[in-house]
């Protein structure tokens, strides 16, 4: 491991207990910064309500750490929107945000558009499929941004159990993302959960970043943030254990392809020869190919969007 990364691990990797809530709240009051929490959601009616309710109770009613909770629904066919609204979130449909640019499927698309419907100086992203959720996920990653002006982006780190096995989750991280980062961006090798969906950043950074529209958004954001603000402006906080719904192997394959594509563009900024992935499923006549397109689109930095610039002026 690079000496720079060893030093970073000693100075930019913390535990949620390192910043008690009273200290975080004091920093928020003195700085006057506001905090938005965004949950990207697609068919998460079983979990989204509990997450919203816990954040509202712990971090809006008990203490005023969070200023707004926004659930961006990307086309749910279940009761996700209704459940989230009943729990106290403001629910916005993806397609209602920036309608002049047709929306495409993908998590990164939702995160990018969320910048237009939130106002916080700090934006905290939380996946909507978490189970046994704790508000420590929010306080842990928001805390360093409020207490340390030199930090611009904070990722959560945690154990990810798979079934009954501890530490076996995060398969795409271990098989795809971690090797890519270690080989091509070794400065980022210290991130425990580089693909984790729980992270917070200053709006001033997020609005300057391009957003891969799909699963490559987390890797792309880390790499681009490294180049834009440097390693010392990035940090991670241990928030314990993350439990969520796991995807099957083929879905993980599609995720891996999107992440590889994101890395490839950042390595060469060249054109992909074949942005697609073929997988196999057993059918009546044996194994049958299924070909899926790999996300090949990115959204530009939000500061380049006219509507966003006009909102900031207003």
């Amino acid at each position: 491991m690079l000496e720079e990364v060893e030093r970073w691990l000693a100075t930019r990797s913390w535990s949620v207990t390192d910043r008690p809530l009273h200290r975080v709240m004091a920093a928020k009051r003195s700085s006057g910064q506001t905090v938005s929490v965004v949950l990207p959601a697609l068919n998460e009616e079983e979990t989204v309500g509990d997450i919203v309710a816990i954040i509202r109770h712990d971090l809006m009613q008990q203490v005023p750490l969070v200023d707004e909770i926004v659930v961006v629904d990307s086309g749910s066919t279940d009761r996700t929107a209704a459940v989230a609204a009943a729990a106290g979130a403001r629910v916005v449909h993806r397609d209602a945000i920036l309608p002049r640019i047709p929306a495409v499927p993908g998590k990164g698309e939702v995160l990018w558009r969320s910048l237009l419907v939130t106002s916080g100086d700090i934006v905290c992203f939380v996946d909507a499929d978490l189970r046994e959720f704790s508000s420590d996920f929010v306080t842990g990653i928001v805390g360093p941004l409020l207490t340390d002006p030199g930090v611009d982006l904070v990722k959560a780190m945690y154990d990810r159990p798979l079934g009954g096995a501890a530490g076996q989750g995060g398969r795409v991280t271990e098989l795809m993302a971690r090797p890519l980062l270690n080989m091509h961006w070794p400065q980022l090798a210290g991130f425990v959960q580089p693909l984790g969906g729980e992270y917070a950043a200053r709006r001033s950074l997020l609005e300057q970043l391009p957003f891969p529209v799909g699963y490559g958004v987390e890797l792309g954001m880390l790499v681009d943030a490294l180049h834009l603000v440097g390693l010392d402006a990035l940090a991670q906080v241990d928030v314990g254990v993350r439990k969520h719904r796991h995807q099957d192997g083929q879905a993980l394959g599609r995720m891996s392809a999107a992440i590889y594509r994101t890395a490839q563009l950042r390595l060469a900024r060249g054109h992909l020869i074949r942005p697609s992935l073929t997988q196999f499923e057993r059918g009546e006549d044996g194994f049958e190919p299924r070909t899926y397109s790999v996300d090949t689109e990115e959204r530009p930095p939000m500061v380049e969007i006219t509507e966003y610039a006009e909102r900031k002026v207003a």
Side-chain angles (χ1 to χ4, degrees):
M1 183 176 290
L2 296 177
E3 288 186 10
E4 181 181 9
V5 176
E6 292 181 351
R7 178 189 55 76
W8 179 85
L9 283 169
T11 60
R12 285 292 186 263
S13 291
W14 298 296
S15 166
V16 65
T17 58
D18 291 335
R19 289 175 177 79
L21 185 55
H22 68 84
R23 179 184 167 197
V24 174
M25 287 304 305
K28 177 174 166 49
R29 286 191 293 269
S30 64
S31 68
Q33 296 179 90
T34 53
V35 177
S36 299
V37 174
V38 172
L39 278 71
L42 177 63
N43 295 328
E44 304 294 355
E45 68 174 343
E46 293 184 4
T47 51
V48 68
D50 287 342
I51 298 171
V52 170
I54 289 169
I55 295 173
R56 277 191 60 82
H57 176 268
D58 292 0
L59 304 179
M60 296 182 82
Q61 296 169 351
Q62 297 270 359
V63 296
L65 177 64
V66 171
D67 297 279
E68 64 176 348
I69 306 175
V70 179
V71 171
V72 183
D73 187 355
S74 56
S76 297
T77 56
D78 64 2
R79 298 182 60 253
T80 291
V83 170
R90 176 160 59 94
V91 180
V92 185
H93 194 283
R94 175 200 63 197
D95 296 348
I97 307 170
L98 199 62
R100 74 172 177 86
I101 300 179
V104 297
K107 179 183 179 182
E109 178 83 356
V110 173
L111 300 185
W112 181 71
R113 289 175 187 264
S114 75
L115 297 181
L116 265 166
V117 293
T118 54
S119 59
D121 302 304
I122 294 169
V123 183
C124 174
F125 299 118
V126 176
D127 281 351
D129 66 341
L130 301 189
R131 302 180 185 278
E132 300 178 30
F133 178 77
S134 166
S135 58
D136 284 350
F137 275 70
V138 175
T139 56
I141 56 180
V142 167
L145 294 163
L146 289 170
T147 59
D148 189 336
V151 174
D152 287 329
L153 183 149
V154 183
K155 298 278 293 189
M157 57 177 166
Y158 32 66
D159 295 314
R160 295 184 66 180
L162 178 63
Q168 294 303 305
R171 291 162 288 173
V172 174
T173 293
E174 299 304 328
L175 297 175
M176 175 59 71
R178 199 175 308 285
L180 281 172
L181 292 175
N182 275 264
M183 287 187 291
H184 300 299
W185 295 281
Q187 286 178 293
L188 298 174
F191 277 94
V192 176
Q193 298 291 352
L195 301 184
E198 291 67 51
Y199 48 100
R202 300 190 191 281
R203 178 176 294 272
S204 57
L205 170 62
L206 293 172
E207 66 187 13
Q208 297 183 68
L209 298 177
F211 277 59
V213 297
Y215 285 124
V217 63
E218 275 84 23
L219 183 134
M221 190 176 294
L222 263 188
V223 171
D224 293 339
L226 173 67
H227 291 305
L228 191 62
V229 296
L231 182 60
D232 281 343
L234 312 180
Q236 61 184 350
V237 174
D238 187 350
V239 296
V241 179
R242 182 185 196 265
K243 297 181 180 180
H244 66 111
R245 170 175 44 80
H246 293 281
Q247 302 196 54
D248 62 34
Q250 294 213 333
L252 296 180
R254 296 190 290 275
M255 187 184 300
S256 297
I259 289 165
Y260 179 73
R261 169 260 170 193
T262 300
Q264 185 185 41
L265 285 182
R266 277 151 181 76
L267 285 168
R269 293 294 175 183
H271 296 287
L272 290 174
I273 297 174
R274 184 176 181 269
S276 60
L277 173 73
T278 298
Q279 297 178 318
F280 294 87
E281 297 178 6
R282 185 181 291 279
E284 294 181 359
D285 300 319
F287 285 103
E288 300 173 355
R290 300 284 188 273
T291 299
Y292 301 88
S293 61
V294 175
D295 298 322
T296 58
E297 187 171 356
E298 295 193 3
R299 295 307 190 188
M302 188 57 81
V303 289
E304 298 177 8
I305 299 298
T306 303
E307 289 87 341
Y308 186 82
E310 291 173 347
R311 192 193 73 162
K312 292 188 71 175
V313 171

